[in-house]
Structure formats: structure tokens, C-alpha cells
């Protein structure tokens, strides 16, 4: 190449970095500002002993929420055992996944020290080897012997991944067994003895009949059995009373906050609830009478339901209840873990009905417990078909978003004047805007998946919703990756395709390196750009300021204050897919764009420290699933990422006209398949039950000793049937705290 060509090549390389540098600069500045905000506000809150924003776990889990002075040091130094005790197994395995990503990225960075100079010295020239692609495998000429170095390092990289995964499974296997035998210290202990029973026929749709059915199979091993009841009128009355209570609390708070102002008035319609039309009455007096009336009605309905339930439990009586209908779902609480595991594995029991592990009562979605399992399965199939069709149409918004990153190609194709690619504006528009737009799109998608899970399919527990949202959110993330790769590279090379349609093979070969800048920007924004924002809790802080502006604290009820102090939880179906997406990008790009490992290391390392601090002091999970979602469900997707990356590697070597290297790419693929089978045999299957986890007679006898553990009365009764859970009167304006 002549001097002009080299100068032009150098100019294009600088231009190619403009979007990355702009995104990197904006992310670092943004995160630094938010971090300084976090340090200042946190110090001010400590002086005031205010915990609601940066230490809300102090309100509910002070016994296992260490107060932080030096947040980075504390998050780094806490032992793994202490971390497990504080956050629970679900969150602990989430941290182990982030740690896994950081360790594998670290290995990738070491290999990058060899690959980056190797690729930079490549002799391949063309549109696919300029700009950012000068540091990618596209720079190496086809059939070059240098590709053998890439193959060897790819073998070692896959071996490191499999080694790390085996170690994580070995540790999780032991922790899972401990969780299954001892449960969560902060959870309901009866959960580990209970099963959910589905597809009950009419002959056993009563508590007594269900108990007798299982007692015949497992004598002296049944503690409780109950059928969930369809009690719509009672639930509606309780909901109406709750509305009345909260409205009365708000009116009382307003009256106390403004003692000289007029008393709150409410227009009441025919339903006795607030309406746009109707008679204007005093709010406090009206709802005081309404609460008394609803208390009487609820007591009468509940007593009648319980009386009819007792009659239905009589051996000589048929179920002729008028105030409720028995559903096809119930629960059985066993007296020992061994009896429960035996029932779960019993072919005889599973033929008559469907037995599933029971969720913690706190995790049950009580409004959905009476939905038949058959209906749920049919709705799930229809939803799956619609989601699959949706993935096909998903290409439209994703292509439009990623097209912004190829702004120059769009303008050239449309015959419009190009924008100077050296400007910061171009870098921000092409680098930052597509990532933000895709993030907003994924947030909207996740909300839709949650709505389908809860309101249409109507899953019966929060863990089921988490598993469903995780699965479909991840699948859409995978679709994003392939659409970004294919759509972005084709649009970027549209002029080449127009002039020479036969160059389609080269376009496919250039897809991975060509789209890498988008993924770098995405990792930068979600990593560096998000660290300070997450620590600052700025969205929650802004919400608090806005709430204080609209409604000063004096006008807020005690219930509102309690809700404001409640620590938030992590929605696994929302947070895990994003991290998994970065994991996938990092693995797939390691042999092709080794620079990606550096950005991934910063992402996973920073996320690990930041989120560890947040989960020690801010976030708190209301229920514990024992790592079912955050590891067992996640593992399948981790291997899917590895399988797809290995296939991509083989295909890319084939395109680089290196058949021997491509054939060698099958070696780690076969090794991964064998590893997959070994993990299932050694870890996955044994983790499904206690008898599979340890089949020795001695261990079974030790588990049988748990038969004397006391069981809480009616633990799985629906809350609306428990008078002890009734909220019959408004909360006081302010709770009196005794010294």
C-alpha cells in the first residue's frame, strides 16, 4: 500500500473509534457524577440515622445486614459463608455467576495479550479490516498459519470455562442439599415438607379426603392436607374493605396535617365507594361505618364457608357448599422429608395427580391458586406460539435501533449528505443512542412478559413467574444478538452487496467483527455507565423528592411510610438476562475480537462489587428459591451460549478458508457435550431430590429424625380464610415506638 492508502487507513481507524470513545467518555463522566452523589448523600443520611435509601435492610433484617463504613472494602472482604448467610442461596448464586463471568473474562484478557498484537500484524486489507476491525481476526489473512494460535487458545479458553462451571456445580450441589434439608432460616419451615397437588378429581376435593388418600399411601406421615377454595365473593369483600381502610387512613392523615382546614369529603355512588357522581359525605365518618359493615359481612361469609368446609370433610356428607367451590389444587404437608421425596418420585401418585414442590406461602400468588393446571398449560402453549411469532417480528424494532449505529451507511444509501464522523455528536448518536433505545425496548418487553405470566397464564407462585420471565427474556436477548449481527452487517455493507451480489459470503464473514462496536458500547453503558447510577439510587431518590413535593410527610399515612422504608427486591427475570447477554457476547467474541474481554472484565468485576454492596445493604428478597432460578435454570443458558459460540468459531474458521482449524474446532464442541452429560449425571439429577442426592440408609435415617419438628397450624390455608390475618381497622396515624 502506498502512503496515501496508509494515511487513509489510519484516518478510518481513528474514525471507527469515535463512537466507542464518545460512549466511554459519557459513561465514565455520568458514573463519576452519580458516585459523588452517592458518597455525599450516604454521609448525610448516616448523620441523620436515615436508612430508607441506602440501608433499608436495617428495617427488616438488621440481624444480618452489616452496617457499612467503607463500602468497597466491606463488599470485597466479606467471606463466602457470611455472604451466603446474609443474602440467601438465590442471591449468593447470582454473585457466583457474576464472579464466574469476571474470572472467565480475566482469562480472556490474558489470551488477548497474545491475540491483539497477532491480529494487528495481519496482512489482510479491505473494508472489513479498517477502523475497529484492525484488532480483530478479520485482519488475519485467510488460510494463514497464525490461525493455529487462535485455535489453541480457543481450546484452552473452553477448557477454563468447563473447569469453572464444574467447580460452581460442585459447590452448588452441596449448598442445594443443605437448603433442601434445612430450608431458609428466614423462611417458612413447613415449605420443605410440603407438596402442591394438581389435577384432583371430585372424589378427593375435600381436606379430609385428600389427607386420607395420602395417608393410605404413607401411613402416619401426613400432617396437613387442604384444598384451595374458590371464594370470590369473600375475596372481593376483603379487597373492598382494604380500599376503605386505606382511604380512611389518608383522610385521617390529611385532617391531622391540616387541622384548620375543611374535613375531607367524598362523593359516594351506589357501590358505597368513591365515585365521580353521587352524594358528598364526610370521608372519615362514611368509611368508618363502611368498615364496620364490611367486617360483619366478612365474618359471616367466612364462618359460613368454614362451616360448610367442616361439613364437606364429614365422611358421610357430600360437598353441597353454596359459598365456595373446591378447586383442583391443594397442598399436603408431610411429617418427614423422606416421605415427601418418596411421594414426589412415586409413579402411582403421579398417575393419579400431579405433585410439585410447594412454594413458600409468602411467594404464592393467592389470586391464582385455584386456576386449573390444564388451563395453565394450554395458555402457556398459546403464549409460547405468540412469543415465537413475536420474535420473528422483533427484527423490525431491533433493526431500526441498530441502524442508528450505522448512521453513515444509512445516509449514503439514501443519497443524503453525511455527518462528519469525527464529531462528538456523531459518536454519541451512533454509539450511545442505540444502546439506550434497545434498553428501553427490553424494559417494555419484560413488563409484557411479566403481565402474561401473572395475568394470563396465571402462574401460582413468584418462582414460577421468575422462571418463565427468565426463559423468554433470555430468548429475546439471544434474538437481539443475532439480529444485531446479521442486520447490522448487512446494512453496513449494503453498497458492497449492490455492486457485487456474489460478495454475500464475505459479508457474513464480516458480520461478527463489524457489529462488535455496538456490543462494546452496550457493555460500556450497562457497566461503567450504570455503576454510579446503581449506587446512587437516584431513581428512588427522585421519586422520594417528587412524592415529598406532592405530598409532605405529615400528610402521608403510616402505611405509606412503611412502604417507603421497605427494601426493594431483585427481579431475577429482569436482571439475569442482561448479564447473560454480556456473558454470551464475551465468549463468542473472544477468539474473534479479543478486545471484548477487557470490557467484559470491567463489566463483571464492577457489577460483582456494586451489586454485592447493594444486596448487603439495600436489596432484600422476600422469598428464597434455593438457587433454582439463579443457577439451575441459568446453567442451561450458559451451556447454550457456549454451544453457539463453538459453532460460530467453526463456521468462521471455515469462512477464513482454514478447514483443518475448523475441524479442530469440533474438539471443544464434543468435549462440551460430554461435559454436559457428566454434569447432569453427577450434579443436576441428584439436585432434584434428597433421595437422589444421597441414597445411603444412614442419611435417610437421619432425615427421618426430622419427623418430630413441629408444624404450624393451617400454614397453607388461603389468607382470606384466616381471621388472624384480618386487617379490621385503619392503622394509627403514627406508630408509637416504645423505648
Amino acid at each position: 500500500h502506498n502512503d496515501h492508502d496508509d494515511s487513509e487507513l489510519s484516518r478510518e481507524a481513528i474514525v471507527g473509534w469515535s463512537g466507542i470513545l464518545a460512549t466511554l467518555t459519557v459513561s465514565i463522566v455520568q458514573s463519576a457524577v452519580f458516585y459523588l452523589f452517592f458518597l455525599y448523600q450516604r454521609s448525610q443520611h448516616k448523620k441523620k440515622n436515615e436508612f430508607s435509601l441506602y440501608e433499608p435492610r436495617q428495617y427488616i433484617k438488621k440481624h444480618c445486614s452489616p452496617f457499612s463504613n467503607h463500602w468497597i472494602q466491606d463488599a470485597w472482604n466479606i467471606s463466602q459463608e457470611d455472604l451466603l448467610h446474609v443474602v440467601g442461596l438465590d442471591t449468593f448464586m447470582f454473585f457466583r455467576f457474576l464472579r464466574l463471568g469476571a474470572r472467565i473474562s480475566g482469562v480472556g484478557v490474558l489470551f488477548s495479550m497474545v491475540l491483539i498484537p497477532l491480529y494487528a500484524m495481519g496482512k489482510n486489507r479491505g473494508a472489513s479490516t479498517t477502523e475497529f476491525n484492525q484488532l480483530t481476526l478479520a485482519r488475519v489473512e485467510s488460510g494463514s498459519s497464525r490461525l493455529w494460535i487462535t485455535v489453541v487458545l480457543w481450546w484452552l479458553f473452553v477448557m477454563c470455562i468447563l473447569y469453572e462451571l464444574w467447580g460452581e456445580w460442585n459447590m452448588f450441589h452441596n449448598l442445594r442439599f443443605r437448603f433442601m434439608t434445612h430450608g431458609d432460616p428466614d423462611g417458612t419451615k413447613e415449605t420443605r415438607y410440603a407438596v402442591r397437588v394438581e389435577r384432583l378429581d371430585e372424589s378427593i376435593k375435600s381436606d379430609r379426603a385428600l389427607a386420607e388418600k395420602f395417608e393410605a399411601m404413607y401411613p402416619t406421615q401426613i400432617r396437613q392436607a387442604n384444598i384451595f377454595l374458590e371464594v370470590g365473593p369473600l375475596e372481593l369483600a376483603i379487597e373492598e374493605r382494604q380500599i376503605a381502610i386505606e382511604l380512611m387512613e389518608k383522610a385521617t392523615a390529611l385532617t391531622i396535617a391540616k387541622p384548620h382546614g375543611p374535613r375531607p369529603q367524598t362523593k359516594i355512588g351506589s357501590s358505597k365507594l368513591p365515585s365521580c357522581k353521587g352524594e358528598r359525605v364526610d370521608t372519615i365518618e362514611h368509611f368508618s361505618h363502611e368498615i364496620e359493615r364490611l367486617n360483619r359481612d366478612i365474618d359471616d361469609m367466612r364462618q359460613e364457608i368454614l362451616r360448610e368446609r367442616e361439613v364437606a370433610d364429614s365422611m358421610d356428607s357430600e360437598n353441597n357448599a353454596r359459598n365456595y367451590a373446591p378447586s383442583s389444587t391443594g397442598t399436603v404437608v408431610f411429617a418427614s422429608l423422606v416421605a415427601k421425596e418418596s411421594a414426589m418420585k412415586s409413579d402411582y401418585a403421579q398417575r393419579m395427580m400431579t405433585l410439585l414442590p410447594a412454594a413458600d406461602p409468602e411467594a404464592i400468588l393467592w389470586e391464582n391458586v385455584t386456576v386449573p393446571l390444564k388451563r395453565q398449560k394450554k395458555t402457556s402453549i398459546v403464549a409460547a406460539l405468540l412469543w415465537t411469532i413475536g420474535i420473528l417480528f422483533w427484527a423490525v424494532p431491533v433493526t431500526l435501533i441498530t441502524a442508528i449505529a450505522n448512521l453513515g451507511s444509512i445516509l449514503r444509501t439514501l443519497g443524503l449528505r453525511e455527518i462528519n464522523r469525527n464529531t462528538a455528536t456523531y459518536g454519541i448518536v451512533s454509539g450511545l443512542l442505540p444502546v439506550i433505545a434497545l434498553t428501553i425496548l427490553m424494559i417494555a418487553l419484560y413488563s409484557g412478559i411479566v403481565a402474561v405470566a401473572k395475568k394470563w397464564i396465571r402462574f401460582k407462585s413468584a418462582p414460577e413467574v421468575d422462571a418463565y420471565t427468565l426463559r423468554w427474556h433470555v430468548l429475546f436477548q439471544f434474538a437481539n444478538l443475532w439480529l444485531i449481527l446479521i442486520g447490522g452487517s448487512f446494512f453496513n455493507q449494503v453498497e458492497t452487496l449492490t455492486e457485487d451480489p456474489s460478495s454475500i459470503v464475505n459479508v457474513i464473514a464480516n458480520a461478527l467483527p463489524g457489529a462488535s462496536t455496538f456490543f462494546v458500547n452496550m457493555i460500556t453503558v450497562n457497566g461503567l455507565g450504570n455503576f454510579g447510577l446503581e449506587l446512587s439510587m437516584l431513581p428512588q431518590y427522585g421519586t422520594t423528592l417528587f412524592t415529598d413535593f406532592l405530598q409532605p410527610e405529615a400528610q402521608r399515612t403510616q402505611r405509606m411510610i412503611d412502604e417507603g422504608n421497605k427494601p426493594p427486591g431483585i427481579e431475577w427475570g429482569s436482571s439475569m438476562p442482561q448479564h447473560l447477554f454480556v456473558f454470551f457476547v464475551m465468549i463468542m467474541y473472544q477468539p474473534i475480537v479479543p478486545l471484548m474481554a477487557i470490557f467484559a472484565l470491567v463489566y463483571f468485576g464492577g457489577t460483582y462489587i456494586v451489586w454485592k454492596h447493594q444486596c448487603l445493604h439495600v436489596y432484600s428478597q422476600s422469598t428464597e428459591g434455593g438457587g433454582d432460578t439463579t443457577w439451575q435454570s441459568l446453567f442451561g443458558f450458559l451451556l447454550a451460549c457456549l454451544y453457539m459460540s463453538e459453532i460460530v468459531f467453526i463456521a468462521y474458521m471455515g469462512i477464513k478458508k482454514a478447514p483443518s482449524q475448523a475441524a479442530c474446532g469440533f474438539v471443544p464442541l464434543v468435549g462440551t457435550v460430554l461435559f454436559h452429560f457428566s454434569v447432569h449425571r453427577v450434579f443436576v439429577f441428584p439436585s432434584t431430590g434428597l433421595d437422589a442426592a444421597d441414597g445411603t440408609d444412614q442419611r435417610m435415617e437421619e432425615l427421618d429424625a426430622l419427623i418430630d419438628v413441629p408444624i404450624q397450624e393451617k400454614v397453607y390455608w388461603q389468607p382470606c380464610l384466616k381471621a388472624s390475618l384480618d386487617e379490621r381497622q385503619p392503622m394509627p396515624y403514627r406508630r408509637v415506638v416504645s423505648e
Side-chain angles (χ1 to χ4, degrees), residues 113-229:
M113 295 179 183
V114 177
L115 293 177
I116 290 177
L118 178 73
Y119 295 166
M121 292 185 295
K123 299 179 181 179
N124 203 18
R125 295 294 184 271
S128 64
T129 61
T130 60
E131 305 183 359
F132 184 74
N133 292 344
Q134 290 184 91
L135 303 179
T136 69
L137 186 56
R139 188 81 166 183
V140 178
E141 57 272 22
S142 297
S144 172
S145 59
R146 297 185 182 189
L147 295 175
W148 282 111
I149 299 178
T150 303
V151 170
V152 172
L153 292 180
W154 176 243
W155 281 15
L156 295 175
F157 188 66
V158 172
M159 287 175 59
C160 290
I161 294 175
L162 299 181
Y163 175 80
E164 291 289 334
L165 289 175
W166 186 273
E168 295 300 324
W169 258 114
N170 187 46
M171 184 198 62
F172 174 73
H173 175 68
N174 297 324
L175 295 177
R176 176 70 177 176
F177 185 82
R178 187 168 71 180
F179 174 81
M180 293 172 69
T181 54
H182 297 88
D184 178 33
D186 296 323
T188 305
K189 66 176 181 295
E190 289 81 6
T191 300
R192 62 183 185 271
Y193 298 93
V195 298
R196 192 177 89 208
V197 189
E198 299 279 1
R199 296 191 303 113
L200 297 175
D201 58 40
E202 294 297 328
S203 64
I204 52 176
K205 282 190 176 181
S206 69
D207 295 351
R208 183 168 185 172
L210 181 62
E212 290 177 346
K213 188 71 174 179
F214 276 88
E215 187 72 30
M217 293 186 286
Y218 305 98
T220 72
Q221 292 295 304
I222 307 304
R223 290 288 185 89
Q224 296 177 23
N226 73 277
I227 303 293
F228 293 134
L229 309 179

Side-chain angles (χ1 to χ4, degrees), residues 313-335:
D313 281 340
S314 173
M315 292 182 63
D316 301 325
S317 301
E318 294 182 359
N319 191 344
N320 296 315
R322 296 174 298 172
N323 291 282
Y324 74 88
S327 72
S328 59
T329 305
T331 57
V332 176
V333 180
F334 289 87

Side-chain angles (χ1 to χ4, degrees), residues 70-120:
H70 306 286
W71 75 271
I72 296 180
Q73 181 180 348
D74 293 345
W76 182 265
N77 290 336
I78 186 170
S79 68
Q80 294 294 296
E81 189 65 30
D82 289 342
L83 181 64
L84 175 62
H85 170 72
V86 171
V87 301
L89 188 53
D90 277 335
T91 308
F92 180 77
M93 292 311 301
F94 168 61
F95 291 142
R96 296 294 299 188
F97 165 59
L98 295 177
R99 178 179 177 272
L100 174 73
R103 288 169 66 90
I104 294 175
S105 300
V107 174
V109 170
L110 293 177
F111 292 167
S112 298
M113 295 179 183
V114 177
L115 293 177
I116 290 177
L118 178 73
Y119 295 166

Side-chain angles (χ1 to χ4, degrees), residues 365-382:
L365 305 178
W366 292 104
E367 65 273 18
N368 297 340
V369 292
T370 59
V371 178
L373 181 63
K374 186 177 181 180
R375 176 192 176 280
Q376 285 184 325
K377 289 183 176 181
K378 288 182 178 179
T379 311
S380 297
I381 294 173
V382 174

Side-chain angles (χ1 to χ4, degrees), residues 431-450:
L432 193 61
L433 190 58
V435 176
I436 296 175
L438 185 60
T439 301
I440 295 174
L441 185 64
M442 294 307 296
I443 291 174
L445 172 69
Y446 172 73
S447 300
I449 297 175
V450 172

Side-chain angles (χ1 to χ4, degrees), residues 693-710:
D694 194 328
T696 63
D697 295 337
Q698 180 181 358
R699 187 55 178 156
M700 286 299 174
E701 292 175 1
E702 293 175 0
L703 295 177
D704 275 330
L706 295 172
I707 192 172
D708 295 327
V709 174

Side-chain angles (χ1 to χ4, degrees), residues 448-521:
I449 297 175
V450 172
V452 168
K454 289 184 177 181
K455 303 299 182 182
W456 190 28
I457 300 176
R458 299 183 66 185
F459 286 115
K460 300 179 182 181
S461 68
E464 290 176 284
V465 173
D466 282 338
Y468 183 83
T469 54
L470 175 69
R471 179 169 65 254
W472 283 106
H473 199 178
V474 168
L475 291 177
F476 271 89
Q477 290 280 22
F478 286 170
N480 284 345
L481 188 141
W482 296 114
L483 291 172
I484 291 168
L485 280 176
I486 299 174
S489 82
F490 270 75
F491 206 105
N492 211 20
Q493 304 286 344
V494 66
E495 290 182 339
T496 305
L497 288 173
T498 303
E499 297 173 0
D500 182 12
S502 64
S503 64
I504 182 69
V505 175
N506 291 330
V507 171
I508 296 175
N510 297 332
L512 284 168
S516 58
T517 54
F518 178 89
F519 294 121
V520 167
N521 289 330

